[in-house]
Amino acid sequence: MSYGRAPRRRFTLLAAPAAVVALALTLTACGGDDNKTGGGGNTNFVTGSGGISTVAKSDRKAAPRLDGETLEGKQLDVADYKGKVVVLNMWGSWCGPCRLEAQYFAKVAKETKDKNVQFVGINTRDAQKGPALSFEKDYGVPYPSIFDPTGKLMLRFPKGTLRPQAIPSTVVLDRDGKIAARSLAALDADQLHKMIDPLIAEK
């Protein structure tokens, strides 16, 4: 009887690392688009080794209109922040990677507030505001989020630009309201600064 059990135990031990890898890959994003736009062709953007895509200043396209009601019930139009570097974070309270990155977004938002940087969340696929408001409270999110349960704002980004195509996604606009950088994965504080700091330094 003991001979039949040993192979099964060996199989379990061998299979465990593969399961861990699969889980890690699953956690990189909660949802996305199968037709992700790459960096080739005439898109004029380059994706670095950290998965952050950037566009040269001369090749940037204007962001679409992004407006709506915040989780707190106020009206917000991202265009009103023109003149600032704007960090747009697409997130959902149901999204594991969003919870992992939330502390870093709160931290960097506070660090860059006096450098003419504005963070704006776009909360999507939460059917009700309650869970999203609890999320903001739990992680000390200091900036507003537009409530976008159906994801319509993400669809406004034109093809050929750095479109948000996963949850979480982060898109950074330069001071002229043009799309300058994007990540399709959860970010930590260092990665956020790599996206934001060069735009702060632009003249």
Side-chain angles (χ1 to χ4, degrees):
M1 296 294 292
S2 61
Y3 290 65
R5 293 176 185 169
R8 283 198 294 272
R9 280 198 293 268
R10 284 197 295 269
F11 175 81
T12 302
L13 291 171
L14 289 170
V20 170
V21 171
L23 177 61
L25 291 173
T26 300
L27 290 176
T28 57
C30 293
D33 187 333
D34 291 334
N35 299 311
K36 289 184 173 65
T37 307
N42 61 354
T43 53
N44 294 321
F45 62 84
V46 176
T47 302
S49 58
I52 296 172
S53 302
T54 57
V55 184
K57 190 172 183 179
S58 59
D59 293 324
R60 293 173 191 163
K61 305 296 183 184
R65 184 170 183 180
L66 300 168
D67 61 338
E69 185 176 281
T70 68
L71 291 171
E72 290 75 23
K74 299 178 180 179
Q75 290 299 312
L76 187 153
D77 189 336
V78 171
D80 291 340
Y81 296 122
K82 192 171 182 180
K84 295 186 176 185
V85 173
V86 179
V87 182
L88 302 168
N89 179 239
M90 290 68 181
W91 64 277
S93 66
W94 44 269
C95 166
C98 299
R99 291 191 287 272
L100 291 174
E101 71 175 6
Q103 60 180 315
Y104 302 116
F105 274 77
K107 177 177 182 289
V108 177
K110 293 172 184 175
E111 291 173 350
T112 57
K113 183 178 180 180
D114 295 333
K115 297 181 179 179
N116 223 21
V117 176
Q118 176 65 49
F119 278 62
V120 177
I122 297 180
N123 170 252
T124 188
R125 300 184 196 171
D126 273 312
Q128 304 294 329
K129 290 183 178 181
L133 286 167
S134 295
F135 178 103
E136 287 189 330
K137 183 178 179 180
D138 290 344
Y139 293 101
V141 177
Y143 50 85
S145 285
I146 300 173
F147 183 53
D148 183 31
T150 61
K152 65 181 181 181
L153 295 184
M154 293 175 66
L155 297 176
R156 291 183 184 177
F157 285 78
K159 291 184 178 180
T161 66
L162 295 176
R163 297 185 295 158
Q165 299 173 22
I167 306 298
S169 284
T170 301
V171 175
V172 184
L173 311 183
D174 65 17
R175 292 191 183 94
D176 295 321
K178 295 183 177 181
I179 304 167
R182 178 194 66 185
S183 172
L184 298 177
L187 299 169
D188 61 23
D190 289 341
Q191 291 168 319
L192 266 173
H193 276 293
K194 286 179 182 178
M195 293 180 76
I196 300 167
D197 291 353
L199 296 172
I200 294 174
E202 282 186 353
K203 302 299 183 183

